[in-house]
Amino acid sequence: MAENNPLNLLIPFIGVRIKYMSDLLKLGVLISGNGSNLQSIIDHIEKGSLKAIIKIVISNNPEAYGITRAKKHGIPVVILKNGDFKNKEEFDLELIRILKNNYVDLVILAGFMRIITPTLLKAFPHKIMNIHPALLPSFPGIHGQKQALEYGVKLSGCTVHFVDEGVDTGPIIIQSAVQVFDNDTEETLAARILKEEHRIYSQAIQLFAEGKIEIKGRKVRIKTET
Ligand code: GRF
C-alpha cells in the first residue's frame, strides 16, 4: 500500500534538499589553466561567505590544473577542446547547451582564454562575469600585469566586470588597486594582484546572488540597504 512505502518517509527530506539547492545561485565556471580563481570561489562557498553552488566547470584545455581542483571537490567537469569544433559559434552552442542543462544562472570566466561569441552573450545577457588583472580600461587583453609594468604605472590592480561584445570592455562591478614597486617583476606584481582577484571575484558574485547589482548602460550600481 502507498502509505507503507518507505520512500514516502524520504519525500519531505528530498523536498527540503531540492528547495535548499534551488535557493543557491547556480554557477558555471569556465577555465583554461591554473584555476586559482576557481579555487578561491570554491573556498568561499565552502566557508559560507558565498551563497552559490558550482554546477559545472568547463575547460577548453584538457591539461588545465583547474580540472584537478574541481574534481577534488566533487564538481562535475566537462572538457571541450577548441579543435573539436568547426568554429567559435559551434563551440559556444555546445557551451550553451551544457550551461542550460545545468540550469546555470551566472557564467564565471576564470582565466578562460577564449573570446566568446555574441551567441553566448545573447544566451546569458548580463549574466557573464570576467576578472581581468588590471584596472580597466587600462591594459585590456592578455598580459595585463606586464603591460602595466612596462607602462610604468604606480598603481595597478584587478577588475570584475560583466562581459560584453568587446575585449574587457563590459560594465565594471568591482575594482581593487595594488601598489606597483620599483623592483616588481611580472611575477611579483601578478601575485599581489591575484590575491585581490581572489577577494573581489567572490564578493561580486555574492552581490549578484543577493540581487544587489543594478546595471544602467555601462554603469553598475551596487544597491545598499536603506
Ligand atoms: C587571472 O590573472 C585572471 O585575472 C586572468 O587569468 C588569470 C587566471 O588565473 N583572466 P587562474 O587560472 O584563476 O589562476
Side-chain angles (χ1 to χ4, degrees), residues 14-15 50 119 140 177:
I14 295 169
L50 175 55
T119 310

Short mmCIF file of all heavy atoms in Angstrom, two decimals, residues 14-15 50 119 140 177:
data_model
loop_
_atom_site.label_atom_id
_atom_site.label_comp_id
_atom_site.label_asym_id
_atom_site.label_seq_id
_atom_site.Cartn_x
_atom_site.Cartn_y
_atom_site.Cartn_z
N ILE A 14 13.75 15.00 0.72
CA ILE A 14 14.18 15.29 -0.65
C ILE A 14 13.69 16.68 -1.03
O ILE A 14 14.40 17.50 -1.58
CB ILE A 14 13.66 14.22 -1.65
CG1 ILE A 14 14.30 12.87 -1.34
CG2 ILE A 14 13.94 14.64 -3.08
CD1 ILE A 14 13.67 11.70 -2.07
N GLY A 15 12.44 16.97 -0.64
CA GLY A 15 11.84 18.27 -0.94
C GLY A 15 12.67 19.40 -0.34
O GLY A 15 12.98 20.38 -1.01
N LEU A 50 30.07 32.79 0.36
CA LEU A 50 29.44 32.93 -0.96
C LEU A 50 28.32 31.91 -1.04
O LEU A 50 28.54 30.69 -0.95
CB LEU A 50 30.50 32.68 -2.06
CG LEU A 50 30.00 32.65 -3.50
CD1 LEU A 50 29.24 33.92 -3.86
CD2 LEU A 50 31.18 32.47 -4.47
N THR A 119 26.55 34.89 -29.67
CA THR A 119 25.54 33.86 -29.40
C THR A 119 25.53 33.51 -27.92
O THR A 119 24.46 33.40 -27.30
CB THR A 119 25.84 32.59 -30.24
OG1 THR A 119 26.04 32.98 -31.58
CG2 THR A 119 24.74 31.56 -30.14
N PRO A 140 43.83 46.32 -21.30
CA PRO A 140 42.96 45.17 -21.60
C PRO A 140 43.74 44.09 -22.37
O PRO A 140 44.91 44.30 -22.71
CB PRO A 140 41.87 45.78 -22.49
CG PRO A 140 42.54 46.94 -23.15
CD PRO A 140 43.57 47.46 -22.18
N ALA A 177 42.79 48.12 -6.19
CA ALA A 177 44.10 48.61 -6.62
C ALA A 177 45.21 48.05 -5.74
O ALA A 177 45.01 47.81 -4.55
CB ALA A 177 44.11 50.14 -6.56
#
